[in-house]
Amino acid sequence: MKTYSDLAAFLHEFGVLSSIGSVLGWDEQVMLPPAGTEYRSEQAALLSRLMHERIVDPRTREMIEDVEAADLDEDQRVVVREVRRDFDRSVKMPTALVVELSKTTVLSQSAWVEARAAKDFKAFAPWLEKTMALKREQAACYGSESGDPYDALLDLFEPGETTESLRPVFASLTPQLVALLNKVKGSSRRAPTEVLHRHFPIEPQRHMTLSIAKAIGFDSNAGRLDVSVHPFCSGIAPGDTRITTRYSESDFTGALLGTLHETGHAMYEQGLPKSTWSGTALAEAASLGIHESQSRMWENQVGRGRSFWTHFWPAMCDAFGVSDIPLDQWLFAINAIEPSFIRT
């Protein structure tokens, strides 16, 4: 008979393997030379296969069943419940599909970076089509009670959520948001967005974005800030949470707001009890929605607010010589609403 301690040891080791995958993913987007992409895809695919084989092993099922029958406290029951969910879902996926998804993810990311730089969507389209086909296969393997394939994948990010329950939310928000946008578009007032597009040297941007991240709570002793094509946060392991941003000399707000967004993610990750509950669900985010609530709060509710900019405006003026810009103009500009295809 396996005990909870056996399961905890298994999950800790599995968490270490997962963290290795996170390091590979971070390195892929931050440090990897383009010529290393093909081999990186094989590394990622091999690791995914080994982890999948470990979780779907019949001995894992037996261990879960043994521990489910044991006398557990509330936290332990949560851990076991989530392991059971992961196992039941994983055994529905063929190993070959797991490997192909992992490899395609790496190769398509590299293709996207090249296509983005060349502004050539057609070059990326085949990779997008392949990825969508594989995700449809994954959804079909998982299945869902509703029969909606999207629900099968939605459950990975928002456990228990369904498209049926989300549709009324969007339906209630849509008319209000459309009315608000039309009101803004019809206004005779125009935000002075030109103040956002002066010359902002990169090095002062690097210094200021990191200092602001630390000022709002990012622990740089347990994390780092780097550059990538698309900003992201990776909660790799206890004491290791990494964020990225991107810089433009003609737009400091892109780097700053992107950093604030990822810092929100990072502070949530740094606040999780990863050392205490290593490898278990209690050391992971509750859901993507909770994660995004933190990042968007810091980016938008805080980072576009008067109090935030009143506090940091002297440093802005010292770093970039913008003291000739009235603070009210800057606030109006940074809160400008306009159509865009850019989702950051």
Side-chain angles (χ1 to χ4, degrees):
M1 293 286 290
K2 296 294 183 179
T3 66
Y4 181 84
S5 294
D6 296 318
L7 179 64
F10 171 85
L11 292 175
H12 172 75
E13 192 171 80
F14 196 84
V16 172
L17 287 172
S18 180
S19 71
I20 294 170
S22 296
V23 173
L24 287 175
W26 174 86
D27 179 77
E28 172 202 336
Q29 297 192 50
V30 176
M31 304 292 290
L32 185 69
T37 299
E38 183 68 35
Y39 199 76
R40 176 55 48 85
S41 73
E42 294 185 25
Q43 293 172 322
L46 174 58
L47 183 61
S48 295
R49 177 175 68 79
L50 295 174
M51 292 178 65
H52 182 71
E53 290 173 347
R54 179 169 293 207
I55 193 68
V56 302
D57 190 304
R59 290 171 295 183
T60 303
R61 181 198 296 272
E62 294 171 2
M63 177 168 55
I64 294 171
E65 291 174 349
D66 286 348
V67 179
E68 284 175 328
D71 183 21
L72 306 173
D73 63 32
E74 184 177 1
D75 286 336
Q76 291 171 338
R77 287 197 297 272
V78 171
V79 170
V80 176
R81 181 194 71 201
E82 294 306 306
V83 173
R84 165 61 74 176
R85 275 172 49 87
D86 290 344
F87 175 83
D88 289 345
R89 185 164 46 210
S90 296
V91 293
K92 297 176 182 178
M93 281 277 282
T95 302
L97 180 55
V98 171
V99 169
E100 188 63 20
L101 261 171
S102 180
K103 188 168 186 177
T104 299
T105 298
V106 174
L107 296 176
S108 61
Q109 168 72 18
S110 177
W112 171 76
V113 170
E114 292 181 10
R116 181 182 184 274
K119 300 185 185 302
D120 183 5
F121 174 75
K122 289 183 178 180
F124 177 64
W127 287 102
L128 180 58
E129 291 170 356
K130 182 176 182 179
T131 300
M132 290 295 290
L134 290 172
K135 296 304 286 186
R136 289 189 177 100
E137 284 188 51
Q138 182 183 18
C141 290
Y142 288 159
S144 65
E145 292 183 6
S146 67
D148 189 325
Y150 192 78
D151 284 353
L153 300 182
L154 177 60
D155 191 62
L156 293 169
F157 300 94
E158 292 296 318
E161 191 59 89
T162 65
T163 51
E164 183 180 5
S165 65
L166 287 176
R167 284 193 182 99
V169 177
F170 290 121
S172 66
L173 289 172
T174 299
Q176 300 174 60
L177 291 174
V178 170
L180 176 60
L181 286 170
N182 286 337
K183 185 176 180 180
V184 171
K185 289 162 64 177
S187 173
S188 59
R189 296 185 67 200
R190 289 291 178 266
T193 53
E194 64 276 2
V195 301
L196 304 177
H197 300 291
R198 293 187 172 188
H199 180 244
F200 297 95
I202 299 300
E203 282 309 310
Q205 287 194 56
R206 292 182 193 274
H207 173 77
M208 190 158 185
T209 51
L210 180 57
S211 64
I212 288 177
K214 291 162 66 174
I216 67 173
F218 178 64
D219 182 0
S220 60
N221 190 51
R224 53 182 294 134
L225 172 63
D226 293 279
V227 178
S228 63
V229 176
H230 187 89
F232 69 94
C233 170
S234 184
I236 292 176
D240 188 359
T241 298
R242 308 184 191 188
I243 57 177
T244 69
T245 193
R246 60 189 181 201
Y247 300 102
S248 167
E249 290 194 336
S250 61
D251 180 13
F252 172 56
T253 58
L256 176 63
L257 294 174
T259 301
L260 284 173
H261 183 101
E262 302 309 332
T263 299
H265 283 305
M267 289 193 294
Y268 182 32
E269 286 287 332
Q270 290 180 335
L272 293 170
K274 294 186 180 184
S275 297
T276 305
W277 293 96
S278 174
T280 74
L282 294 177
E284 299 173 354
S287 75
L288 181 63
I290 296 297
H291 232 309
E292 287 297 330
S293 75
Q294 302 308 292
S295 59
R296 293 187 63 79
M297 177 189 73
W298 284 102
E299 175 192 359
N300 293 322
Q301 273 63 52
V302 176
R304 299 180 194 268
R306 179 176 293 276
S307 296
F308 177 89
W309 283 105
T310 298
H311 178 78
F312 286 109
W313 195 243
M316 274 289 293
C317 293
D318 289 343
F320 303 112
V322 294
S323 57
D324 61 308
I325 302 174
L327 182 56
D328 283 346
Q329 278 193 20
W330 182 267
L331 285 168
F332 192 7
I334 205 171
N335 284 283
I337 297 173
E338 56 188 7
S340 171
F341 291 112
I342 306 302
R343 74 176 186 88
T344 52

